Every structure is written in C-alpha cells, then in structure tokens.
Amino acid sequence: MEIKEGIIMAEGITYLCPGCGAYLRYDGGQGKWVCDYCDSSYTKEELEQRGAKIENSGYTVSSGDSGKTETVDFACEEHVAEGKDQEHLRAYSCPNCGAEIVTDDVTAATFCVFCGNPTVNPQQFSGKYHPSAMIPFATDKKQAQEAFLKLCKGKKLLPKGFTSQQRLEKITGVYVPYWLFDCKADFDYHATGENHLIWSDGNYDYTKTDLFHIHRAGTMDFENIPLDASENMEDALMDALEPFDFTKVEPFDMRYLSGYLAEKYTYEPKDLFERMKDRVSRGIENRAAEGGKRYDVVHSVQCNTNYKSDHQAYLLLPVWMLISNFKGKKYLFAMNGQTGKIVGELPCDTGRSVKWFLLIFVIVFVVVFLLVWLIGGVMA
C-alpha cells in the first residue's frame, strides 16, 4: 500500500474463472458465479473444489484448473492527512489490467472503467467493518430492467428516451449496508375513551356520554429491525423496499460481491437509535390501543416508552438501483434484489405535458363543435 497525492493506494482482488482465467461475477438469478467469456457457471461448492476460497490469513484467488492460487494479505489506512481535497478518495490497482480505480472511502466493491473487471476491495470490510452476514442477490439485472420498464409503461409524460437501452444498462446492483436492531420496549399507555348512547322521546334528542380512563402497560420485544447505514442512501426509499426475508441470510462471503457495487457503513448504531425508536413507537401505540373494551372515540393519548437495544448486527442487503438526473433533480428507481419489490419516482417532462394538454384540448374542442353543429342541424 502507498499514498499518492493524497489518495490511498491499495490492492484489489478479482475472482477468476477456473476454466479460462477470465473474471467471475455472481448472478443472483442463477444463484451461481458465471463467466461471460466462456459461459461457464459454478456453484459455491464447485468454486471451493477448484480452489477459489477465502482464508483467514488473506484472500485466495483461483488461477485456473491447475489449482494454482495466490494469497495476498491486505492492509489499508483509514484516512490520509487532514486538509487534503482528496482525503476521502481511495485508489485501487485493477488485478486484470493494472489501471487505477478511484473510489470514495466507503466503496468496497466496484468495476474497472477500463476493462470492466469487477474488483473487490477487502480491506474495506476489515476489523469493525466486517459484516456478520448478508443476503445475496436472488434476481438478475434483466429482471431489474424489466421491472423498470413495467414501472414506466403507460407514462406518456416521461422525458423522451427515458427508457433507452443506454439508461437500462446503468441499472446497477448494490449491496447496501444495514444495521439490524433487536429492541425491548417497556410501555405505559394512557388515554381517554368515550362511548355514546343516543335516543329520542319524540320531543327531545338525548346523548349519554360515558368516559373511561384507559391504562395499559407491558413489554414488547422486536427483532431484526432493518435500518440502512449509508449516508448516500435515501432512508424513506430504503424503508419502502422492505420486507427482506431474513431466513435466507448467509454468512458474509466476499465472493458474492463480485459483479456488484458495495459500501461499508457510515452510520454507527447510536446514530440510528432515534430512527429505530420512531419505527418501533408506531407499532407500540397501535398494539397498546388494541384489545379490551371498544370505544366510540379515543383521545388524550399518552404513551411513555423506555427503549433498550442490546444487540445490533451489521449485514449487507441487495438492491438494484438507477439514479436519473432531470432538470437539476435526482430521480431514484430501486428494486429489492431478493424479493423484486420496486419503488421509485419518475420525472415528468413539462414540455410534453403542454403538448398533451393542447392535443386533448383540440380534440375536445372539435368533438364539442361537431356535436353543436349536428344538434343545430337536427333542430333546423
């Protein structure tokens, strides 16, 4: 490792095809590692039999059928001198062509812009940044592209060329860092309930109102509350991609990163504690209000809750993403890389809106004119 002009230089690794020596990428649709050069595909067991495995002392990369491997130990400084314009940049040497791959200091897997080689930067996941688990992609890029086209279908006011093949190719798989929280919540719920009885004697209408003090207290346990841990991700959008099926979680294996982007976390659990409380509090109040006697009206609700989280797990979750810029605003499309659930916002071209408005106005005007003319002719 070396530091060059304020940029940290480090080694990157690539997983190679045992058949032809070209690079491998993980294909979520097939659940295998595939080679785009010789069309070979391998399961995890087959890769391990061929020698493409990870060892604690370093990272072992297969070099082909001969079984020859190369073990490389990695180390990386976490920062450079303060005050540099480039203090958050990292540069990695592409194992395939030797070119420099420049990224920010949270990127852990990327691509070489010169040869397209998928490169994993293992030092980004060392020490406290080592994930405990991950959910591998279960969908492929073609499925993400089809989902994007389905979302855009019938949207006449999209900017021209918004669904072009060039844009579809920009859809990228990203392993997003998340913290999973387990939480214990002790709640004390108070509210006022009203029941109304209404009757009439023919002369007067009567209303009887019974007031009740509602008090419920107890403890609720929550498990696996996911919160994205990257400042680059939009929280509301990431929340909307849920749920993930955590029964499909796998131990962290760097080989799953090959062919995707990946980031390490930028938020510590303490930074997300208030977000976790906000998500849990809505469920607590709703559950506390359920059961028991039913009331016509409930008001003056107070729910005092003490939260405690003794366990958080760091893991990576799969997301397909496309960021589009239109007239200075960013529009983000995202798809859950496990379940296929999609969310996103699409731009509206005001110029095309005006054209459609004028077209509809002309059509309506002509129809109305013809109707008036026909009615006038019949009456004459």
Side-chain angles (χ1 to χ4, degrees):
M1 182 199 70
E2 62 175 326
I3 297 180
K4 179 182 178 182
E5 296 182 357
I7 303 177
I8 291 180
M9 302 292 296
E11 295 287 341
I13 64 172
T14 296
Y15 297 97
L16 304 180
C17 173
C20 69
Y23 61 79
L24 293 174
R25 62 176 178 82
Y26 181 72
D27 187 291
Q30 299 184 49
K32 294 181 178 181
W33 283 261
V34 299
C35 174
D36 293 320
Y37 288 85
C38 68
D39 292 328
S40 299
S41 61
Y42 305 91
T43 64
K44 181 189 292 187
E45 292 74 18
E46 290 171 338
L47 284 181
E48 290 174 349
Q49 291 172 2
R50 296 294 190 97
K53 61 183 180 180
I54 299 177
E55 297 180 353
N56 293 332
S57 60
Y59 298 85
T60 302
V61 184
S62 171
S63 297
D65 279 329
S66 63
K68 180 182 177 182
T69 60
E70 178 185 0
T71 301
V72 184
D73 291 319
F74 294 91
C76 181
E77 299 288 341
E78 288 301 323
H79 61 278
V80 298
E82 294 183 1
K84 303 277 188 177
D85 293 336
Q86 299 173 320
E87 65 177 312
H88 295 297
L89 297 181
R90 300 291 184 270
Y92 301 91
S93 177
C94 174
N96 185 53
C97 68
E100 290 184 8
I101 306 169
V102 180
T103 68
D104 59 23
D105 54 1
V106 299
T107 300
T110 185
F111 305 90
C112 175
V113 296
F114 296 96
C115 67
N117 186 63
T119 302
V120 179
N121 312 319
Q123 59 270 26
Q124 295 286 52
F125 286 132
S126 62
K128 69 175 185 176
Y129 293 106
H130 190 278
S132 61
M134 66 189 305
I135 294 180
F137 276 85
T139 56
D140 58 27
K141 187 171 185 175
K142 182 179 179 181
Q143 290 172 294
Q145 291 173 337
E146 290 173 349
F148 176 71
L149 291 175
K150 183 177 180 181
L151 180 67
C152 296
K153 186 176 181 180
K155 308 297 192 301
K156 302 296 185 182
L157 302 183
L158 287 175
K160 187 176 181 180
F162 190 73
T163 58
S164 67
Q165 186 62 35
Q166 183 180 11
R167 187 178 300 276
L168 291 176
E169 289 300 322
K170 293 181 180 180
I171 295 178
T172 305
V174 182
Y175 279 103
V176 179
Y178 274 77
W179 285 104
L180 284 189
F181 285 79
D182 288 348
C183 175
K184 184 183 291 291
D186 298 319
F187 68 92
D188 188 34
Y189 176 90
H190 295 265
T192 298
E194 293 185 8
N195 279 338
H196 304 139
L197 179 62
I198 301 174
W199 73 93
S200 175
D201 61 4
N203 295 317
Y204 298 97
D205 294 327
Y206 301 90
T207 299
K208 178 186 177 184
T209 300
D210 294 323
L211 299 178
F212 301 87
H213 176 66
I214 307 169
H215 179 212
R216 299 185 181 117
T219 300
M220 293 185 187
D221 292 319
F222 298 85
E223 295 182 350
N224 296 335
I225 305 169
L227 296 171
D228 72 276
S230 172
E231 61 185 2
N232 295 325
M233 299 298 165
E234 185 179 331
D235 296 338
L237 190 75
M238 294 298 103
D239 291 347
L241 286 174
E242 297 174 27
F244 289 88
D245 182 1
F246 292 108
T247 64
K248 305 295 185 181
V249 72
E250 296 272 355
F252 177 68
D253 187 333
M254 209 166 297
R255 288 172 295 188
Y256 285 114
L257 305 183
S258 185
Y260 301 93
L261 297 181
E263 290 190 355
K264 66 182 183 181
Y265 68 82
T266 53
Y267 291 133
E268 301 279 353
K270 61 182 178 63
D271 301 322
L272 302 174
F273 192 72
E274 291 301 319
R275 274 187 62 201
M276 186 271 296
K277 285 170 54 177
D278 289 341
R279 293 192 62 175
V280 170
S281 62
R282 295 192 293 269
I284 292 174
E285 187 170 317
N286 290 336
R287 289 297 301 274
E290 293 176 354
K293 186 176 177 63
R294 298 297 179 181
Y295 303 96
D296 297 329
V297 179
V298 175
H299 59 85
S300 303
V301 175
Q302 291 184 340
C303 188
N304 300 315
T305 309
N306 292 320
Y307 303 88
K308 186 177 182 181
S309 178
D310 293 327
H311 179 261
Q312 306 91 32
Y314 170 43
L315 77 167
L316 302 179
L317 299 182
V319 178
W320 289 102
M321 302 185 70
L322 174 64
I323 299 177
S324 302
N325 289 301
F326 183 69
K327 294 187 176 180
K329 182 179 178 180
K330 287 185 177 181
Y331 295 87
L332 181 60
F333 161 81
M335 184 178 95
N336 185 314
Q338 181 192 37
T339 66
K341 180 180 179 181
I342 60 174
V343 296
E345 183 183 4
L346 298 176
C348 177
D349 189 335
T350 53
R352 300 192 76 181
S353 300
V354 171
K355 290 179 181 179
W356 274 97
F357 173 79
L358 292 176
L359 178 61
I360 294 172
F361 175 79
V362 170
I363 292 173
V364 171
F365 177 80
V366 170
V367 170
V368 171
F369 177 81
L370 290 175
L371 286 175
V372 171
W373 182 76
L374 288 173
I375 293 172
V378 171
M379 294 183 65

